[in-house]
Amino acid sequence: MIIRQEQPADYGEIYHLVQEAFASAEHADGNEQDLVEALRKGQAYIPQLALAAEIDGELAGHILFTKGHVGEQEVLILAPLSVKPAFQKQGVGTALIEEGHRIARGLGYSYSLVLGSETYYPRFGYSPAEALGVEVPEGIPSENFMIIRLREDGGPVQGAVRYPAEFGL
């Protein structure tokens, strides 16, 4: 498996990969592929943190971390993480998250937020964000709104979350 930065030549395939990955997801709105395209064009996009997983020359997964804020502190928002159904439960998502975290630390980011499965993301160190003083957006179950500290030198984080406008939150 190769984890690499997405390239413009990948965009069409990534669109379909994300669509396929979320087609049977328990919590999906069906617009995740459009969100990826919108985020890619927005101010919050970080090219180094838009990653694709490739297995034997085929795109198997994709992850996107974009800029957000908690209070005045810039943080990362992990969304979405997509793995083609044929490659699920084979470590693709794990590899994408771990490589994304490694790159993010190197870029100086101290925190990453995710709205996701309370049984999946804790294995990577994510825990309920409200425990650190991050306000849970209205209508979101607190157990699904999680944060991870990526760098020990990251100061305290607390306050309201501001997502990139493309999220519509």
Side-chain angles (χ1 to χ4, degrees), residues 48-108:
Q48 302 94 317
L49 290 172
L51 304 174
E54 196 176 294
I55 297 176
D56 297 328
E58 182 179 352
L59 285 187
H62 180 263
I63 196 169
L64 191 58
F65 292 87
T66 52
K67 298 175 197 171
H69 289 85
V70 173
E72 296 305 311
Q73 186 168 352
E74 191 169 73
V75 298
L76 294 174
I77 309 288
L78 186 174
L81 168 63
S82 310
V83 178
K84 273 188 186 178
F87 292 101
Q88 290 176 1
K89 300 190 185 322
Q90 297 177 34
V92 175
T94 296
L96 285 164
I97 291 170
E98 290 176 350
E99 181 64 2
H101 286 172
R102 186 191 69 75
I103 293 168
R105 280 191 291 276
L107 293 172

Side-chain angles (χ1 to χ4, degrees), residues 71-153:
E72 296 305 311
Q73 186 168 352
E74 191 169 73
V75 298
L76 294 174
I77 309 288
L78 186 174
L81 168 63
S82 310
V83 178
K84 273 188 186 178
F87 292 101
Q88 290 176 1
K89 300 190 185 322
Q90 297 177 34
V92 175
T94 296
L96 285 164
I97 291 170
E98 290 176 350
E99 181 64 2
H101 286 172
R102 186 191 69 75
I103 293 168
R105 280 191 291 276
L107 293 172
Y109 289 97
S110 297
Y111 293 94
S112 174
L113 287 166
V114 68
L115 172 59
S117 168
E118 74 279 7
T119 59
Y120 182 73
Y121 289 98
R123 71 178 78 165
F124 304 102
Y126 284 87
S127 61
E130 69 181 346
L132 290 183
V134 178
E135 296 173 21
V136 179
E138 191 173 324
I140 293 177
S142 60
E143 66 271 12
N144 299 110
F145 189 67
M146 295 169 275
I147 192 166
I148 185 173
R149 181 187 294 244
L150 298 170
R151 296 173 56 103
E152 289 305 314
D153 60 354

Side-chain angles (χ1 to χ4, degrees), residues 7-67:
Q7 301 298 314
D10 299 324
Y11 293 173
E13 191 174 349
I14 287 170
Y15 184 90
H16 294 293
L17 183 155
V18 174
Q19 191 172 40
E20 185 180 354
F22 280 91
S24 61
E26 184 180 345
H27 300 286
D29 65 14
N31 297 317
E32 289 80 8
Q33 65 279 356
D34 298 318
L35 175 62
V36 169
E37 290 203 334
L39 286 167
R40 200 181 277 136
K41 297 172 187 168
Q43 296 297 312
Y45 180 69
I46 307 165
Q48 302 94 317
L49 290 172
L51 304 174
E54 196 176 294
I55 297 176
D56 297 328
E58 182 179 352
L59 285 187
H62 180 263
I63 196 169
L64 191 58
F65 292 87
T66 52
K67 298 175 197 171

